[in-house]
């Protein structure tokens, strides 16, 4: 899959099944495309489900340090969404915790 620099934001109106309300920023065009892909394939966007400080959601920082975005995402089958215990980015590493 290609790196889309996708911003899905936090507005999950009518898409609650596919994303949480804890995204960062405002959705862009690639975010719309990614969300449509997730809806069409019954995937949930993991990084939007759990509440974390913004610093733990940010996956890109501008060189001057003033602009920060959440542009990298992982999607999981909606079937397994309830198995997610936590999901976040910490110092450039995406962490996914599930129950079995």
């Amino acid at each position: 899959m290609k790196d889309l620099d996708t911003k899905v934001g936090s507005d999950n109106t009518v898409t609650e099944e596919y994303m949480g309300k804890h995204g960062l920023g405002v959705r862009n065009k690639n975010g719309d495309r990614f969300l449509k892909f997730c809806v069409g394939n019954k995937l949930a966007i993991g990084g939007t489900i759990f509440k974390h400080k913004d610093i733990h959601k940010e996956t890109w920082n501008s060189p001057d340090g003033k602009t920060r975005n959440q542009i990298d995402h992982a999607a999981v089958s909606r079937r397994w969404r309830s198995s997610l215990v936590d999901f976040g980015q910490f110092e450039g590493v995406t962490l996914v915790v599930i129950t079995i």
Side-chain angles (χ1 to χ4, degrees), residues 32-49:
D32 286 334
R33 290 183 193 120
F34 184 59
L35 185 56
K36 286 177 185 175
F37 173 82
C38 289
V39 169
N41 290 282
K42 298 181 181 169
L43 301 172
I45 303 171
T48 64
I49 297 171

Side-chain angles (χ1 to χ4, degrees), residues 10-29:
S10 58
D11 180 10
N12 69 347
T13 308
V14 305
T15 58
E16 297 91 358
E17 294 179 49
Y18 304 96
M19 65 178 283
K21 61 182 178 181
H22 301 291
L24 187 64
V26 177
R27 188 175 305 135
N28 64 9
K29 287 181 185 179

Side-chain angles (χ1 to χ4, degrees), residues 55 58 60-69:
I55 194 169
E58 298 162 352
W60 179 84
N61 295 318
S62 66
D64 65 6
K66 293 181 181 180
T67 304
R68 298 168 184 216
N69 285 306

